[in-house]
Amino acid sequence: MRRLAVQYEVPLHADGARLLEVAPHYGLPLPELCRLFDSLYVSFYKGLGGVTGAMLLGSPTVTREAAVWRRRLGGNPFTVAPYALSCRAAFRAHRGSFDARWRRLQQLAPLLSSTAAEEGGSLRFVPEAPTCCQAHVYLRGDAAAFDAARDAVLRERGVRVYSRLRGAAVGPEADECYFELTLGPRHLEVADAVYVGAWRAFFAALAGPQPGGRKGVGDAEPQS
């Protein structure tokens, strides 16, 4: 793509919202990756955890023109200092964590997929071998039942197995829902047993009441 852009004299821009996440997969220094593009957007809240904010990188001509359009479109608050300080702190704290987060997700993907299969369920990771610290995870079945099971696990264990479903009736057979699983720095401290136990409880909740007293989705005791 870069060769074609140069050949036809077309400026090449990258939406680098997840640039820091994917860099370990390519095994290249960030400057080398960035040199492929004429301009680049970098997020400070995705992956890094800043309050909000991003940076546009490019030639002085590009950035000067972008500054004019930012003002025209209303992006000219009285001060951005709180956001800038948050972005700087997040970058300094977490910029070196992405390789470990990626490798942790590579460990968890097959572990959680096999756990689901053992419980009679399905967790399908896309890509199957994660290329960064985020993946799409597909569940086969009913979205409302999944959310109810998620909430039951949260009440009983204090663990939220996913935040929200982003699609329904998707996948090759149009019978799946999916969510984004992103590992942050604190996820590195969570033991395998916590993930496995929470997902076992999730699939048990989906299955309904079981012999021996395990609860289903509708059987969780209310919180006091």
Side-chain angles (χ1 to χ4, degrees):
M1 185 180 293
R2 179 61 194 172
R3 286 195 295 268
L4 288 172
V6 171
Q7 179 181 345
Y8 291 100
E9 299 182 352
V10 176
L12 189 61
H13 175 76
D15 179 345
R18 300 290 183 183
L19 176 68
L20 295 173
E21 283 96 323
V22 300
H25 171 71
Y26 290 107
L28 296 173
L30 279 173
E32 190 170 341
L33 283 173
C34 294
R35 275 197 294 269
L36 294 169
F37 308 100
D38 298 290
S39 58
L40 181 73
Y41 157 87
V42 180
S43 171
F44 288 107
Y45 73 92
K46 291 184 177 179
L48 288 169
V51 172
T52 189
M55 180 179 288
L56 176 66
L57 306 171
S59 69
T61 301
V62 169
T63 54
R64 279 197 299 266
E65 178 119 0
V68 173
W69 277 100
R70 180 183 62 182
R71 189 180 186 92
R72 286 172 177 169
L73 294 171
N76 189 46
F78 177 73
T79 179
V80 295
Y83 305 124
L85 290 172
S86 173
C87 291
R88 183 177 69 177
F91 180 75
R92 289 177 173 177
H94 303 308
R95 61 182 176 181
S97 68
F98 292 99
D99 183 75
R101 289 154 64 177
W102 167 44
R103 297 186 187 280
R104 180 63 173 137
L105 187 54
Q106 285 185 311
Q107 296 169 347
L108 286 173
L111 175 64
L112 298 183
S113 294
S114 63
T115 297
E118 291 168 5
E119 296 295 323
S122 173
L123 279 179
R124 184 169 66 88
F125 282 75
V126 177
E128 185 177 356
T131 54
C132 68
C133 59
Q134 182 187 80
H136 285 182
V137 186
Y138 288 76
L139 289 157
R140 182 173 289 111
D142 178 68
F146 293 149
D147 284 349
R150 174 204 61 190
D151 294 344
V153 174
L154 179 61
R155 287 192 301 269
E156 295 173 8
R157 290 175 170 261
V159 177
R160 187 188 295 272
V161 291
Y162 65 82
S163 178
R164 66 184 178 92
L165 296 173
R166 293 177 173 266
V170 296
E173 304 298 327
D175 61 350
E176 293 178 303
C177 307
Y178 83 94
F179 61 92
E180 289 185 354
L181 177 60
T182 304
L183 294 195
R186 296 295 298 274
H187 289 104
L188 297 174
E189 304 169 12
V190 180
D192 286 358
V194 175
Y195 291 105
V196 170
W199 279 106
R200 288 195 190 282
F202 174 85
F203 287 110
L206 281 178
Q210 300 293 311
R214 291 203 301 177
K215 297 183 177 67
V217 166
D219 301 293
E221 296 176 357
Q223 290 179 298
S224 58

